[in-house]
Amino acid sequence: MFSDTHFHFEHTIQHTEVNGVDILVGGRFGRKIRIGDSLGRIFNQDEVVSVVDVILEYYIKNADKGERMSSLVDRIGKEKFIYDVLDIFDKKNTK
């Protein structure tokens, strides 16, 4: 399973005209496998730490105690999660 996910990541990056990183959130292995969802944007190297900080801040603010990231994304809905994270990221980076 990991190799399939890893291949998808490499495949996505190799076939874009923009160099950068496709960030996937909410993936999980074990009994309840869940493939992570792409944020739908390629981030440049200078943005990666900032967007990961936003994801972690969002998780801390919105997750129930002991809740996994995958469960948070499922509970809130991937569209809302992605919209909220990108909105916060964009607002922080346009100041």
Side-chain angles (χ1 to χ4, degrees):
M1 185 59 122
F2 175 78
S3 61
D4 291 341
T5 305
H6 186 65
F7 172 77
H8 172 71
F9 174 77
E10 287 181 359
H11 180 75
T12 301
I13 299 302
Q14 288 175 358
H15 290 87
T16 62
E17 294 182 21
V18 178
N19 290 327
V21 178
D22 183 11
I23 297 176
L24 288 81
V25 294
R28 182 173 177 177
F29 292 100
R31 286 182 283 156
K32 294 177 112 179
I33 294 174
R34 183 184 189 287
I35 303 299
D37 297 303
S38 172
L39 292 181
R41 186 185 297 179
I42 302 297
F43 297 91
N44 67 44
Q45 186 176 2
D46 297 332
E47 298 173 317
V48 172
V49 171
S50 180
V51 74
V52 170
D53 284 344
V54 169
I55 292 166
L56 292 175
E57 290 169 8
Y58 189 86
Y59 170 79
I60 290 166
K61 182 178 178 184
N62 293 285
D64 295 333
K65 185 176 181 177
E67 185 174 32
R68 294 177 181 260
M69 179 73 75
S70 61
S71 298
L72 172 66
V73 173
D74 287 340
R75 179 171 55 81
I76 290 178
K78 75 176 185 178
E79 291 83 7
K80 178 173 175 35
F81 180 90
I82 292 168
Y83 175 84
D84 290 349
V85 166
L86 292 178
D87 187 51
I88 294 166
F89 174 78
D90 289 340
K91 285 177 181 173
K92 284 186 171 190
N93 288 290
T94 57
K95 291 182 180 181

